[in-house]
């Protein structure tokens, strides 16, 4: 297995391509491929909501000066539980990963030119993806 500390690896997850106008960075809250990869797995250890926030802020810095239509950050993944790669509430951190996303979207609304309804965000946090994702998509205006 290849073990990496999340706090050390996140600075290497963005490439020069992500910084290009038509490049789109991806953020990951955690990674543990051992259920599917066995001994060949890659695992990022020690991820926390605070470190995820740093990772998200780095991604925001990459896109903040791009043209509006290219201010896109991909979240990998919402609920990839098999790889320990999710932001849905869990027993360890509760809603903390979603709270980070909410905080950064509210604080960075001027960067992304979004109209974020705090009630919809609260639904995302309270109920998870199934019921709130379509509501969120409806109010998040990209331009």
């Amino acid at each position: 297995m290849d073990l990496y500390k999340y706090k050390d690896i996140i600075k290497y997850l963005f490439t020069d391509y992500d910084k290009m106008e038509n490049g789109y960075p991806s953020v990951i809250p955690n990674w543990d491929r051992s259920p599917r990869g066995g001994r060949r797995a890659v695992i990022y250890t020690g991820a926390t909501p605070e470190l995820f926030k740093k990772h998200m802020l780095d991604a925001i810095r990459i896109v903040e000066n791009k043209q509006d239509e290219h201010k896109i950050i991909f979240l990998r993944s919402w609920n990839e539980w098999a790889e320990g790669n999710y932001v849905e509430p869990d027993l360890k951190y509760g809603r903390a990963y979603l709270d980070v996303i909410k905080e950064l979207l509210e604080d960075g609304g001027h960067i992304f030119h979004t109209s974020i309804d705090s009630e919809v965000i609260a639904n995302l946090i309270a109920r998870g993806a199934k019921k709130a994702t379509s509501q969120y998509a409806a109010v998040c205006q990209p331009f």
Side-chain angles (χ1 to χ4, degrees), residues 54-70:
K54 180 189 178 321
H55 186 40
M56 288 281 302
L57 285 168
D58 290 343
I60 289 169
R61 285 185 201 101
I62 288 172
V63 302
E64 68 186 344
N65 293 316
K66 293 183 179 190
Q67 294 177 22
D68 287 346
E69 64 268 18
H70 295 144

Side-chain angles (χ1 to χ4, degrees), residues 76-94:
R76 181 183 171 192
S77 294
W78 180 270
N79 62 352
E80 190 63 51
W81 291 87
E83 277 139 7
N85 186 23
Y86 58 90
V87 295
E88 287 183 317
D90 66 6
L91 294 176
K92 186 172 184 178
Y93 292 110

